[in-house]
C-alpha cells in the first residue's frame, strides 16, 4: 500500500493494512471489493467468505447496526483469525453503510499492531447529550488513547462534535497545534496531523461519528477528498462537487474559483454515485497518480446519498 511516485513517502508504512467491502446478497454479506497489499493469502481466504447476520465482524456490524471495533482476533468471533495471524493482522473496525433502514454494505479496515504505527480509528456515540468514546484503535498512541477515553464532546466542539452538529463529514488539519482540536497537546505528542470525521447513519435515533486520525510517519492515507452529492429530479445522485481535500504532496485540493465536479459513473467517485455503494479501488490510473489504492465511502442522510468521502494510500 505504499505510494510509488514520491521517493519521500515510498517506504512509509500506512496505519491501515487492508480495506474490504461486503455487500448483502441473498441474505448474506459477500465480498465486493478490497485491497490487501501483499497479503495475497489473506485476500484469497476473504474473497471466498460470506457472512450471515451476526456472523463474524461484518455480520456483527450488520446485526447491531453500528460501527464495531475489534482490537484482538484470538478467541474472538472473527472468523478469519488464523489467516489474519499468518498475515500479521491484529485488529479491525467494521463500519455499516445504511440508507435509511436498508443495509447497503459493510466496510472493514484491518490493521497490524507494532511499536511504530501511530494513528486512531475512533467510534463516538451520543449519550445524555454528549459524544463519548464508544471504542477505538490507536496503535502505539497509548497516551492519546487514554486522553480520548476521558474526553467528551458537546455538539459543535472538536472534530467529533463538529461532525455531529453539521451532520456532514469534516477534515481538520494541524491537529497538534490547531485550537479547534480539543486534544491538540496529546495529538501533537503522538504525531497526529490530519483528522477526518464522518457521520455514520444507522436505523433509529442513535448518533455515531467515526474519526480517522492520521500521523505523518504512519498515515491512514496520503490524500483525503470530501465530495458533496447533488441529486437529479428523480432523487438519484447525479453529480458531486469537491468540497474539501488535502494531499501530502499537493497540499489543499479545493479551490472555490475552480470547482471540481464529477458526474455519476465518471471515475471512482462517479461509480459510488451511480451504485450508492462503497468502493475499494486498485487500478493503473491510481498508480499513475502515485497511489496504490483508494477507498470511496458514501455518506447517507435521511436515506439519500449526501456525500462521498475518499482517501488514497
Amino acid at each position: 500500500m505504499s505510494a510509488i511516485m514520491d521517493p519521500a513517502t515510498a517506504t512509509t508504512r500506512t496505519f491501515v493494512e487492508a480495506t474490504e467491502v461486503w455487500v448483502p446478497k441473498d441474505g448474506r454479506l459477500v465480498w465486493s471489493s478490497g485491497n490487501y497489499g501483499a497479503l495475497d493469502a489473506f485476500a484469497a481466504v476473504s474473497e471466498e467468505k460470506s457472512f450471515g447476520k451476526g456472523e463474524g465482524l461484518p455480520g456483527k456490524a450488520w446485526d447491531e447496526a453500528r460501527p464495531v471495533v475489534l482490537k484482538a482476533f484470538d478467541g474472538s468471533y472473527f472468523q478469519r483469525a488464523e489467516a489474519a495471524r499468518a498475515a500479521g493482522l491484529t485488529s479491525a473496525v467494521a463500519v455499516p453503510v445504511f440508507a435509511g433502514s436498508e443495509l447497503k454494505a459493510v466496510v472493514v479496515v484491518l490493521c497490524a499492531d507494532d511499536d511504530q504505527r501511530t494513528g486512531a480509528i475512533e467510534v463516538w456515540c451520543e449519550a445524555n447529550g454528549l459524544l463519548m468514546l464508544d471504542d477505538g484503535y490507536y496503535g502505539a498512541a497509548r497516551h492519546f488513547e487514554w486522553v480520548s477515553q476521558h474526553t467528551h464532546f458537546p455538539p459543535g466542539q472538536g472534530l467529533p462534535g463538529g461532525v455531529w452538529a453539521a451532520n456532514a463529514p469534516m477534515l481538520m488539519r494541524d491537529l497538534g497545534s490547531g485550537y479547534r482540536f480539543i486534544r491538540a497537546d496529546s495529538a501533537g505528542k503522538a504525531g497526529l496531523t490530519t483528522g477526518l470525521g464522518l457521520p455514520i447513519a444507522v436505523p433509529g435515533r442513535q448518533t455515531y461519528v467515526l474519526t480517522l486520525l492520521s500521523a505523518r510517519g504512519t498515515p491512514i492515507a496520503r490524500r483525503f477528498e470530501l465530495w458533496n452529492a447533488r441529486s437529479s429530479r428523480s432523487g438519484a445522485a447525479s453529480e458531486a462537487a469537491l468540497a474539501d481535500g488535502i494531499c501530502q504532496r499537493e497540499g489543499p485540493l479545493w479551490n472555490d474559483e475552480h470547482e471540481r465536479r464529477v458526474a455519476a459513473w465518471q471515475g471512482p467517485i462517479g461509480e459510488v454515485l451511480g451504485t450508492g455503494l462503497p468502493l475499494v479501488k486498485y487500478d493503473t490510473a491510481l498508480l499513475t497518480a502515485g497511489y496504490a489504492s483508494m477507498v470511496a465511502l458514501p455518506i447517507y442522510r435521511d436515506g439519500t446519498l449526501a456525500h462521498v468521502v475518499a482517501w488514497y494510500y
Side-chain angles (χ1 to χ4, degrees):
M1 286 192 183
S2 60
I4 63 170
M5 295 290 288
D6 185 354
T9 61
T11 60
T12 302
R13 301 180 72 187
T14 53
F15 188 66
V16 173
E17 281 285 324
T19 307
E20 54 191 20
V21 176
W22 301 85
V23 298
K25 181 179 179 182
D26 299 329
R28 298 185 67 81
L29 289 171
V30 299
W31 189 91
S32 173
S33 62
N35 184 55
Y36 301 89
L39 307 179
D40 294 337
F42 185 78
V45 170
S46 300
E47 291 172 16
E48 297 299 319
K49 288 288 292 183
S50 69
F51 300 94
K53 196 171 186 178
E55 293 179 354
L57 180 58
K60 186 177 180 67
W62 178 15
D63 183 46
E64 299 187 0
R66 65 179 182 91
V68 177
V69 179
L70 184 57
K71 296 181 182 179
F73 296 151
D74 290 342
S76 75
Y77 51 82
F78 193 79
Q79 294 189 357
R80 295 168 286 166
E82 183 177 349
R85 190 183 309 111
L89 300 171
T90 58
S91 55
V93 180
V95 182
V97 179
F98 281 94
S101 60
E102 178 190 1
L103 180 75
K104 304 291 285 187
V106 175
V107 177
V108 177
V109 296
L110 299 112
C111 301
D113 196 15
D114 57 42
D115 293 335
Q116 303 300 319
R117 292 193 221 211
T118 297
I121 304 174
E122 304 174 315
V123 177
W124 299 87
C125 182
E126 185 272 331
N128 300 318
L130 296 171
L131 281 180
M132 316 292 290
L133 184 69
D134 184 66
D135 208 345
Y137 174 69
Y138 297 85
R142 306 300 185 197
H143 178 69
F144 185 78
E145 179 178 8
W146 183 89
V147 170
S148 301
Q149 291 168 343
H150 295 82
T151 304
H152 55 262
F153 297 94
Q157 186 178 70
L159 179 59
V163 171
W164 182 17
N167 195 19
M170 291 179 60
L171 268 175
M172 192 172 283
R173 286 90 161 158
D174 302 321
L175 300 185
S177 57
Y179 70 92
R180 293 174 59 203
F181 193 74
I182 305 304
R183 298 167 286 166
D185 182 64
S186 55
K189 292 176 181 177
L192 300 173
T193 58
T194 305
L196 172 64
L198 310 174
I200 304 300
V202 298
R205 298 182 177 274
Q206 188 62 61
T207 296
Y208 287 100
V209 172
L210 179 74
T211 50
L212 308 177
L213 309 180
S214 190
R216 191 178 305 278
T218 52
I220 283 180
R222 299 188 174 90
R223 179 186 180 106
F224 297 94
E225 297 173 349
L226 305 185
W227 298 81
N228 289 338
R230 298 171 178 173
S231 300
S232 63
R233 292 182 179 179
S234 67
S238 59
E239 67 173 8
L242 185 67
D244 199 1
I246 188 169
C247 176
Q248 277 190 354
R249 297 194 308 268
E250 301 173 43
L253 302 175
W254 175 73
N255 185 330
D256 58 4
E257 295 182 359
H258 301 90
E259 186 178 59
R260 291 180 56 191
R261 299 184 186 184
V262 295
W265 302 106
Q266 179 185 357
I269 303 300
E271 187 172 342
V272 174
L273 294 175
T275 64
L277 300 176
L279 174 70
V280 179
K281 195 80 170 178
Y282 177 95
D283 61 23
T284 54
L286 289 174
L287 292 173
T288 302
Y291 303 98
S293 181
M294 72 169 294
V295 180
L297 179 70
I299 303 294
Y300 285 86
R301 179 189 295 168
D302 299 326
T304 300
L305 204 165
H307 309 275
V308 177
V309 177
W311 57 94
Y312 299 72
Y313 299 99

